[in-house]
Amino acid sequence: IGYFLDRIQLAAVFAFVVQASTAAMILLEFQNRIIMEALTYRLEQVPGDKIDAIEMTVADFDGALYHLSNPEKDRTKVQISLGVQFFHELKAHGVDELMQREYGSMLVEPESGFDVTIVIDLANMGDNPQLTIMKAASLRRNCFAAVFEKFFKLQKEKPAKQQAVINYRDQETMYINVMKDRVTVIFSTLFSDADDVVIGKVFMQAFKDVRGRNPQAPQVLFSHKNPPEELAGTQALSGDNVGYVTFVLFPRHYDGAKSDSTIDLIHTFRDYLHYHIKCSKAYLHQRMRASTAELLKVLNRAKPDTDKKEKKTASGRSFIRK
């Protein structure tokens, strides 16, 4: 966590206290590892002129879907297409301009059924191929980045209050509000059962404890069942399985180079939360099974000896109780 604290105080929030000991939790990768490995593997094949063909469909967080293929069966080129259900909502926030800025000549007409398509020329990847590979694997992240960059910039211009609503999953929404001195990011999320709500509340309390130790970290608020006041008048859901997590970001959290780090971390928060809820439940089940197995061993050792043994007197005669 110390490494991320040096980059941005937001990362301090992503620590979880378990039984009075602080443990760093896994931060999910925002790049798609399958795309990174597929491109790296084929880049290494370029000098030998024996490049493997590629044809695969890859799923990612929040319903994102990638399609990798060779355009016109040219193995020196890899076409990557991305489809996300909320892409049309991002168009009003400059996603097309951001794609052009990040990918430039790699952008081509989107493949049928997808929202954005780029083509990577393995034989001509410039002076820094790894940077190109990283950008290709960050397509989904860069889609989210459009709305964050817009609102971070708006806040610096001190505009009137504005709000963006991104329906990034079925029945789950991200709300971004810009105010005079801050930007608030609110995630609505659905919990699959009551146990998830309990574990989620423990996580939220741990986030508050981290802010107590590091006042520079963003404030994190959690509300259960009912949406926060900022969402009054919207179509925000309410119910026993609905939770809302609010991040309060001040300019110190997204000034300059911190902006990219903040976007990297915050856009994966919903997946981060549910990933660790599932890990916590799996750990509890593991401990319960281990405890049950130990208890069964104790019970087995405690079984009375039911075999009837012949008893004899001191003279050697059999003793039979009448």
Side-chain angles (χ1 to χ4, degrees):
I1 285 183
Y3 169 73
F4 283 96
L5 281 173
D6 292 336
R7 297 173 59 196
I8 173 176
Q9 278 76 20
L10 178 64
V13 181
F14 293 94
F16 181 49
V17 180
V18 180
Q19 296 178 351
S21 63
T22 303
M25 306 301 285
I26 297 173
L27 294 174
L28 302 181
E29 295 180 339
F30 59 87
Q31 311 95 341
N32 188 286
R33 179 165 289 273
I34 296 177
I35 293 178
M36 291 180 64
E37 292 180 352
L39 292 176
T40 301
Y41 176 71
R42 284 160 179 79
L43 179 62
E44 294 171 350
Q45 293 179 323
V46 170
D49 294 328
K50 293 183 179 179
I51 305 173
D52 291 348
I54 187 169
E55 177 62 42
M56 65 172 67
T57 301
V58 181
D60 207 338
F61 294 118
D62 303 324
L65 197 66
Y66 289 96
H67 179 224
L68 282 71
S69 60
N70 296 123
E72 301 178 357
K73 298 183 179 181
D74 183 354
R75 297 190 181 186
T76 64
K77 295 181 180 179
V78 177
Q79 178 173 285
I80 304 173
S81 300
L82 170 67
V84 288
Q85 66 179 25
F86 53 88
F87 191 85
H88 65 284
E89 297 176 354
L90 297 173
K91 285 184 173 294
H93 303 292
V95 67
D96 292 329
E97 291 78 5
L98 188 143
M99 291 292 111
Q100 185 63 45
R101 184 193 77 197
E102 292 293 323
Y103 299 101
S105 60
M106 290 188 284
L107 277 174
V108 296
E109 188 69 21
E111 183 180 355
S112 177
F114 293 87
D115 298 299
V116 60
T117 299
I118 62 173
V119 174
I120 306 295
D121 187 349
L122 298 174
N124 185 23
M125 295 186 68
D127 298 331
N128 193 345
Q130 290 304 317
L131 178 60
T132 302
I133 292 174
M134 181 71 74
K135 282 188 175 183
S138 302
L139 263 175
R140 173 184 160 278
R141 179 268 183 200
N142 287 334
C143 288
F144 270 104
V147 64
F148 286 109
E149 287 189 5
K150 174 185 175 180
F151 274 70
F152 292 164
K153 182 178 179 181
L154 282 174
Q155 191 281 320
K156 295 176 183 178
E157 297 172 353
K158 310 295 183 183
K161 184 177 179 181
Q162 296 188 40
Q163 184 182 75
V165 180
I166 307 297
N167 298 291
Y168 65 102
R169 294 175 66 95
D170 293 337
Q171 294 187 302
E172 295 187 65
T173 307
M174 178 178 69
Y175 303 86
I176 305 179
N177 298 295
V178 60
M179 303 177 186
K180 290 183 178 180
D181 61 342
R182 72 193 70 181
V183 174
T184 61
V185 182
I186 304 174
F187 292 92
S188 73
T189 187
L190 298 180
F191 296 103
S192 58
D193 55 51
D195 292 341
D196 288 6
V197 176
V198 174
I199 298 175
K201 286 182 178 180
V202 175
F203 269 85
M204 295 304 107
Q205 183 59 49
F207 289 178
K208 292 181 180 180
D209 293 342
V210 170
R211 178 171 169 80
R213 296 192 302 271
N214 183 0
Q216 296 300 312
Q219 184 179 10
V220 182
L221 307 174
F222 177 71
S223 58
H224 178 222
K225 296 183 180 180
N226 297 314
E229 295 181 0
E230 292 91 335
L231 302 184
T234 67
Q235 297 180 348
L237 297 177
S238 60
D240 291 339
N241 67 330
V242 180
Y244 289 87
V245 183
T246 303
F247 286 89
V248 182
L249 304 176
F250 291 96
R252 65 175 179 270
H253 298 127
Y254 50 80
D255 278 342
K258 293 181 180 179
S259 175
D260 287 338
S261 296
T262 299
I263 295 170
D264 293 346
L265 292 170
I266 201 168
H267 91 277
T268 60
F269 173 77
R270 186 268 174 200
D271 305 309
Y272 166 91
L273 174 63
H274 283 269
Y275 171 81
H276 284 295
I277 287 176
K278 289 178 173 60
C279 287
S280 299
K281 293 172 72 174
Y283 176 72
L284 291 173
H285 292 165
Q286 181 185 26
R287 290 295 299 272
M288 290 168 63
R289 288 193 295 268
S291 298
T292 302
E294 291 299 320
L295 179 60
L296 289 174
K297 290 179 182 179
V298 174
L299 292 175
N300 289 334
R301 290 196 298 267
K303 285 183 179 179
D305 190 357
T306 57
D307 294 338
K308 292 184 178 180
K309 294 183 179 179
E310 186 180 7
K311 298 181 179 180
K312 292 187 178 183
T313 62
S315 61
R317 294 181 181 182
S318 295
F319 174 78
I320 302 176
R321 186 184 294 276
K322 292 183 179 180

